[in-house]
DNA sequence: AGCTAAGAGTGACCTAAATCACTTTTCAAA
DNA sequence: TTTGAAAAGTGATTTAGGTCACTCTTAGCT
C-alpha cells in the first residue's frame, strides 16, 4: 500500500510540492478500493460518493440511451481521475455507468474530504484547479473534433493521441467513443 | 468602473468570501477592455495573452475548418469566462476565433497574473478550481448530448437550458453550435 | 422611407453513415 | 483442446442529414 500511496503523492507533486505534514494530512483522506474486470465502480441511479484516482487498470465511463445503446464518455487508466462528476459534485444519483475493462485499483476521495483538503492545503486546491483546467481543455478539443472532423480523422487523431489505449480497448468501444457505429469504423481500418 | 469591479467581486464571492485586502490585491491584476459588435477578442494564429471575464455583452468562440465552415465551440455572455484556453494555458498561438455578437466589455487576466493571485489568495485558487470543475461538467454533458441525442432533442435541451441565449443569437449560429446545418435546424423549428 | 445584406424557410437531390444480416476470427474458460 | 461467446469484418439496404438553389423576411443604415 505504501508504494501505491507514493504513486499518488508523485501525481500530486507533478504540479505542486507538498511538505510531509501536508501529505500525511492529504493521504489520510483517501481510501483504497479494488475491483475485478466487469465489476462496476459507478452505476446510474445510485449515489456517487467518490471520485476515483486510478492506481492501476482501465475503466470505461458511459451512458445508455433509450434504445439500450452504450455511448462512451471517457476511458480512464493509470493516473486518471474518474467519476460521474456531475452527480458527485451535486451529490445526486448518477446517470452514467463506470465499469472495469481490466482488474483495477483505486484511491477514493469523497466530496467532503476533497473540500477539506483543498481548503486546508492550498497546493491541493491549485492541483485540482490545474487538473480541472486540463480536463476542460481536453473536452473542448473533443467537442471540436466531434463538430469539425470526419470519423476517419477522429480515429487517426485518437490513435495518435492515445496509442496505448487503443491496444487495451476493443474497437467497438473505440467506435462508441468516436460516436460512430462499429461497422463504419471497421470499414475505415481495413 | 467601480461598479464593474464590484460585479467581478460579487462573482468571486458567490463561491468564496474575500477580505478587502485580498480583493484589492486580486482586482489590481485585471485590466479592462471594451469591444464593439463584430470585433475580435481572439484570432487564430495569434498569441492569447488573457482569459476574459465578460462584464457585459455576448461573444462566440469558434473554429474554422478547411472548407471555411464555422463551428461554434461556445457562446459566452455576462459572468462567463472565455478564452482559447488551450493556447492560453500553453502560451502558444491560438487556433480559434472569438468575436463579439454584441458590444461587449471584459476584464482581462493574464496567465502570470492568474497564477500569482491563485498562489497568493487560496480562495481564488478554490474559486477557479470550482469554476473549472463546473465547466468540465458542462462540457461532458455537451459531449453526451452530441453522442446520444438527435438534433431535435439537442435543440430542445438547449432551448430549455439557455432560453435567454437563443433570443440573442441567430439560428444559424445555434445550428453550428449543435453540429447541424442551418437548413436541417430550420426544418425542426417549423 | 427605401435599400442592402443578413437571416430564415423550403423543395429536390445526394451522400455518409446507420442498420440489418451474416460470416470469420479471436479469446478465454471449462 | 474444445467450445461458446465476444469481437471484428463485410455486403445489402435504408435513412438522417447535408448540399444546392431559390424565395421570403427581417434588420440595420443612409
Amino acid at each position: 500500500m505504501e508504494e501505491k500511496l507514493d504513486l499518488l503523492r508523485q501525481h500530486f507533486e507533478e504540479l505542486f510540492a507538498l511538505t510531509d505534514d501536508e501529505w500525511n494530512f492529504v493521504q489520510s483522506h483517501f481510501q483504497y478500493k479494488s475491483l475485478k474486470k466487469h465489476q462496476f465502480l459507478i452505476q446510474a441511479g445510485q449515489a456517487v460518493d467518490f471520485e476515483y484516482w486510478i492506481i492501476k487498470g482501465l475503466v470505461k465511463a458511459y451512458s445508455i440511451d433509450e434504445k439500450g445503446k452504450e455511448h462512451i464518455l471517457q476511458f480512464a487508466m493509470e493516473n486518471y481521475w474518474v467519476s460521474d462528476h456531475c452527480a458527485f459534485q451535486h451529490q445526486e444519483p448518477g446517470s452514467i455507468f463506470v465499469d472495469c475493462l481490466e482488474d483495477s485499483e483505486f484511491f477514493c476521495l469523497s466530496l467532503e474530504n476533497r473540500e477539506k483538503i483543498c481548503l486546508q492545503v492550498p497546493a491541493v486546491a491549485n492541483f485540482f484547479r490545474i487538473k480541472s483546467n486540463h480536463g476542460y481543455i481536453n473536452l473542448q478539443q473533443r467537442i471540436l473534433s466531434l463538430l469539425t472532423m470526419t470519423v476517419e480523422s477522429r480515429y487517426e487523431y485518437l490513435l495518435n493521441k492515445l496509442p496505448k489505449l487503443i491496444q487495451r480497448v476493443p474497437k467497438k468501444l473505440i467506435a462508441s467513443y468516436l460516436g460512430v457505429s462499429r461497422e463504419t469504423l471497421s470499414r475505415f481500418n481495413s
Side-chain angles (χ1 to χ4, degrees), chain A:
Chain A
M1 192 56 59
E2 284 312 309
E3 331 79 74
K4 288 168 188 172
L5 281 165
D6 276 350
L7 290 173
L8 181 55
R9 182 172 185 174
Q10 281 168 37
H11 179 65
F12 275 107
E13 293 202 322
E14 268 171 37
L15 295 178
F16 298 95
L18 298 172
T19 64
D20 287 345
D21 279 353
E22 284 174 335
W23 171 246
N24 284 333
F25 178 76
V26 167
Q27 58 108 309
S28 72
H29 291 81
F30 284 88
Q31 58 189 87
Y32 175 83
K33 179 174 185 123
S34 148
L35 289 177
K36 297 280 174 207
K37 188 170 173 173
H38 295 131
Q39 289 186 313
F40 284 97
L41 188 60
I42 292 172
Q43 281 182 272
Q46 304 198 353
V48 180
D49 295 324
F50 302 100
E51 10 185 58
Y52 300 91
W53 183 72
I54 303 179
I55 303 162
K56 185 182 158 308
L58 176 62
V59 304
K60 66 177 202 274
Y62 58 100
S63 93
I64 297 202
D65 69 20
E66 329 78 62
K67 288 168 201 148
K69 221 171 94 178
E70 186 176 303
H71 301 270
I72 307 253
L73 187 57
Q74 188 195 1
F75 294 110
M77 50 194 185
E78 293 79 17
N79 283 310
Y80 281 58
W81 291 84
V82 70
S83 187
D84 180 338
H85 295 287
C86 183
F88 175 73
Q89 184 67 39
H90 303 112
Q91 294 284 291
E92 28 177 72
S95 59
I96 65 170
F97 297 85
V98 178
D99 67 31
C100 300
L101 298 174
E102 302 173 0
D103 295 353
S104 305
E105 295 174 271
F106 311 91
F107 282 123
C108 317
L109 181 61
S110 71
L111 184 62
E112 196 188 338
N113 282 343
R114 189 188 71 183
E115 295 308 306
K116 214 185 275 181
I117 61 179
C118 283
L119 294 180
Q120 189 76 24
V121 185
V124 170
N126 278 294
F127 171 84
F128 282 113
R129 173 177 68 83
I130 297 289
K131 276 287 160 197
S132 274
N133 199 237
H134 288 339
Y136 183 87
I137 289 168
N138 278 326
L139 293 190
Q140 274 203 338
Q141 295 196 314
R142 180 152 174 222
I143 286 171
L144 273 185
S145 80
L146 286 168
L147 292 178
T148 68
M149 298 163 91
T150 64
V151 174
E152 194 164 13
S153 47
R154 287 210 296 278
Y155 182 61
E156 279 159 18
Y157 175 74
L158 184 65
L159 267 183
N160 202 51
K161 198 175 172 192
L162 298 169
K164 315 145 219 164
L165 185 77
I166 314 296
Q167 259 103 51
R168 290 164 75 176
V169 175
K171 284 200 179 128
K172 67 165 192 173
L173 296 183
I174 303 289
S176 165
Y177 178 88
L178 295 172
V180 76
S181 74
R182 184 185 72 70
E183 294 92 332
T184 298
L185 185 65
S186 167
R187 286 183 237 269
F188 284 125
N189 300 146
S190 46

